[in-house]
Amino acid sequence: MRTPLIAGNWKMFKTAAEAAAFAEEFKTLYKDTDVKTAICAPFVHLAQLKAAFEGTGIGVGAQNAHYEDEGAYTGEISVMMLEDMGIDYCVIGHSERRQYFAETDETVNKKLKRLFAGPIIPILCVGENLDQREKEEQYAVVKEQLVGGLADISAADAAKLVIAYEPVWAIGTGKTATPEQAEDMCEYIRNTMEELYNEEVADAVIIQYGGSVKPANATDIMNMSNIDGALVGGASLKANDFIEIIDF
Ligand code: PGA
């Protein structure tokens, strides 16, 4: 049985005071359930959130990491540094990083390899843009991202992966994919994992949907059989909304 993971992706939002206020409110509202949850926050808030959520079961994630442990990479944060802090998850290959920060399947692959050398669970983001969907290239695009991102990664590691299917046209636009569209691609991703690895890996891998998930649509999305959670941007910034999604 797969345990669903509902993760918030704060992107580049919140001051330290706002993050602290969220953590206090979220902790009081949060009840330990069968669903795992985590907040993926800007690096500067990670230590604070780790301390605030200690002993609650709420995980803390980063939104990116460098694959080298240390070196002359001004402005970067390494997986080793995140491991040292006890971070639980790391988002890799988010479409905004692919679009604005030259993230490629090759850098995604290096980051995944480094993450799998330690305990942090990667959340690998894949998804097509509007133009690609209109040309019906969505399956080919997602497959290429999976094949490239997972090159030379073992079945044992792949089984620990979280994959977030995030159609770019649904991110931050208020246009959610229909539950059927989301399920269709998540099923395709699971079948592709069986093709690339085996049935065991396909059964184990957690597949999230992301893109304008909110309290009003969370239940329909989460009820789909191949969808094991959500990566939530905008609606994870408010403790109340995010709790409603977790309690779908
Ligand atoms: P959104 O973002 O929920 O604001 O659409 C999702 C994401 O980018 O992870």
Side-chain angles (χ1 to χ4, degrees):
M1 261 308 274
R2 299 183 292 268
T3 306
L5 170 68
I6 299 185
N9 172 18
W10 280 1
K11 310 194 179 188
M12 196 174 71
F13 285 96
K14 291 196 189 293
T15 62
E18 287 164 351
F22 176 99
E24 279 319 301
E25 191 185 351
F26 190 62
K27 269 197 301 186
T28 54
L29 297 170
Y30 178 76
K31 285 176 216 77
D32 207 355
T33 61
D34 295 342
V35 177
K36 285 191 200 164
T37 189
I39 298 288
C40 301
F43 291 123
V44 290
H45 302 321
L46 296 180
Q48 182 187 3
L49 291 180
K50 251 335 258 184
F53 294 153
E54 207 190 324
T56 60
I58 303 164
V60 176
Q63 300 171 3
N64 181 34
H66 198 281
Y67 46 84
E68 295 289 350
D69 282 348
E70 50 188 17
Y73 299 102
T74 302
E76 290 294 297
I77 305 285
S78 73
V79 172
M80 184 188 77
M81 294 170 186
L82 299 174
E83 287 170 349
D84 180 55
M85 295 176 70
I87 294 305
D88 306 290
Y89 299 95
C90 186
V91 175
I92 295 293
H94 190 282
S95 58
E96 287 149 16
R97 296 216 59 86
R98 293 178 192 257
Q99 189 179 349
Y100 307 125
F101 302 99
E103 188 85 80
T104 62
D105 291 334
E106 200 185 335
T107 54
V108 162
N109 182 245
K110 287 183 177 172
K111 292 173 182 192
L112 290 179
K113 282 181 180 155
R114 177 56 191 87
L115 282 160
F116 282 129
I120 298 177
I121 305 213
I123 302 176
L124 165 64
C125 299
V126 296
E128 80 287 356
N129 63 33
L130 185 59
D131 184 48
Q132 291 161 335
R133 179 156 282 257
E134 281 171 350
K135 291 187 187 144
E136 292 181 25
E137 292 170 357
Q138 66 269 31
Y139 301 109
V141 167
V142 167
K143 185 164 189 176
E144 194 181 323
Q145 289 170 338
L146 289 172
V147 170
L150 295 172
D152 301 322
I153 284 174
S154 71
D157 284 339
K160 294 184 251 165
L161 187 65
V162 177
I163 299 173
Y165 168 56
E166 298 205 308
V168 178
W169 47 272
I171 295 178
T173 57
K175 262 193 229 160
T176 326
T178 63
E180 292 74 24
Q181 281 173 320
E183 166 66 12
D184 173 63
M185 183 58 88
C186 291
E187 186 183 16
Y188 175 78
I189 291 171
R190 204 174 297 287
N191 290 340
T192 303
M193 291 303 279
E194 182 167 351
E195 204 182 296
L196 296 177
Y197 294 98
N198 54 45
E199 202 183 326
E200 216 177 33
V201 170
D203 280 346
V205 75
I206 300 292
I207 305 178
Q208 300 175 315
Y209 166 77
S212 300
V213 175
K214 35 190 180 277
N217 59 27
T219 313
D220 288 346
I221 291 167
M222 290 299 298
N223 280 342
M224 292 291 168
S225 60
N226 281 291
I227 302 181
D228 314 313
L231 189 56
V232 185
S236 72
L237 294 168
K238 287 199 184 120
N240 258 320
D241 286 351
F242 194 48
I243 283 287
E244 269 191 63
I245 293 172
I246 293 166
D247 293 342
F248 66 91

